[in-house]
Amino acid sequence: MRRILKIAKAELFTLFYSPVAWLILVAFTVQVGLKFTGLMADFVYREDIGFGNGFLTANLLGGMFGMYNTVQQYLYLYMPLLTMGLMSREFSSGSIKLLYSSPVTSSQIIMGKFLAMMAYGLVLLGTLILYIGYAACVVDNFAFAEALSGLLGLYLLLCAFAAIGLFVSCLTSYQVVAAVATLGALAFLNYVGRMGQEVPFIRDITYWLSISGRSDELINGLISSEDVFYFLIVIGLFLTLSIM
């Protein structure tokens, strides 16, 4: 475990030494902030004209136009940029030979890299706590359980994207190729649920393969064991493939 933590620490240092991690963190915070302030302004306007508001927590965070749904779209675009150099950078620079010659196993390397992405994901989604805290101060009877359930869904989705990106990064020494391939893999997993809908057997298979909408119930406040196990299985599968 100590070796995994050392690899994760080194990966985090490398990640934050590059401008990509900082740019994504700043851009993510600004974009989510604009979405949040726009929703709050709309609620205030509706209140001023006497239209009234209901289910503020659900409308602000969940739903089709809520803040959490917007975050899902940003994660889909940002994660390939964050994961593209996890292993491909080691292959292209030749430092992978130093890792292989050191007393660490392939599983420790992969778990260390993934743990670094989990830590960065906590930092990235931690910015949402600022907006949730403000909403809790201005919204009567704010639903904290629903807000925390949505955060769990987003974090599991982020970890699944990170595991997929890590696996793709193991397949090539070119970071740009890894980023494009990860984006393609995520696009396939989002689209596969629409394939073969007229055939019951194929429909069942594509449903379990599809990652689209897996976090929607969590975002809406319902923690479903089916969705949680789906994310855990996807993460475990792609980490295993990365080690192999």
Side-chain angles (χ1 to χ4, degrees):
M1 187 63 186
R2 185 179 302 175
R3 294 171 181 172
I4 294 177
L5 291 176
K6 287 184 177 180
I7 294 174
K9 183 179 179 180
E11 184 62 33
L12 280 175
F13 282 154
T14 303
L15 190 63
F16 280 105
Y17 283 151
S18 68
V20 175
W22 291 106
L23 288 175
I24 289 178
L25 188 60
V26 172
F28 178 82
T29 304
V30 171
Q31 288 178 320
V32 174
L34 292 175
K35 178 65 176 180
F36 180 81
T37 53
L39 289 171
M40 292 298 296
D42 184 58
F43 293 154
V44 172
Y45 174 74
R46 288 159 61 93
E47 193 73 28
D48 290 339
I49 64 176
F51 190 77
N53 290 295
F55 305 101
L56 280 179
T57 304
N59 292 328
L60 179 64
L61 302 179
M64 184 178 298
F65 303 104
M67 185 175 68
Y68 284 165
N69 187 60
T70 302
V71 172
Q72 288 189 85
Q73 301 172 13
Y74 293 152
L75 293 179
Y76 173 78
L77 297 175
Y78 288 155
M79 291 309 295
L81 298 177
L82 290 169
T83 61
M84 64 181 183
L86 288 178
M87 290 303 298
S88 58
R89 181 177 59 249
E90 308 288 353
F91 292 130
S92 61
S93 65
S95 58
I96 190 65
K97 297 179 181 178
L98 296 176
L99 286 174
Y100 284 154
S101 62
S102 60
V104 294
T105 62
S106 297
S107 59
Q108 290 173 336
I109 296 173
I110 295 300
M111 293 306 299
K113 300 278 187 180
F114 182 70
L115 184 60
M117 292 308 304
M118 290 179 65
Y120 183 85
L122 287 176
V123 175
L124 193 65
L125 295 183
T127 58
L128 299 180
I129 297 178
L130 300 175
Y131 304 115
I132 294 175
Y134 175 79
C137 296
V138 299
V139 175
D140 294 333
N141 302 316
F142 184 78
F144 280 101
E146 184 175 331
L148 294 177
S149 173
L151 282 177
L152 174 63
L154 292 176
Y155 187 66
L156 289 174
L157 181 66
L158 183 147
C159 290
F161 285 171
I164 296 171
L166 177 57
F167 167 67
V168 176
S169 181
C170 293
L171 303 178
T172 177
S173 60
Y174 300 99
Q175 297 188 32
V176 176
V177 174
V180 174
T182 301
L183 190 62
L186 297 181
F188 172 77
L189 290 176
N190 275 279
Y191 177 76
V192 70
R194 305 176 187 177
M195 300 170 57
Q197 293 299 299
E198 64 279 359
V199 182
F201 176 73
I202 298 179
R203 182 170 63 243
D204 292 339
I205 295 177
T206 56
Y207 168 77
W208 284 104
L209 289 175
S210 177
I211 201 172
S212 177
R214 287 290 178 179
S215 58
D216 287 349
E217 290 187 352
L218 288 164
I219 287 176
N220 292 324
L222 178 62
I223 300 180
S224 171
S225 59
E226 177 185 357
D227 295 328
V228 173
F229 278 117
Y230 172 83
F231 285 119
L232 295 179
I233 291 171
V234 168
I235 293 170
L237 172 64
F238 280 97
L239 289 180
T240 303
L241 292 175
S242 299
I243 294 171
M244 294 173 60

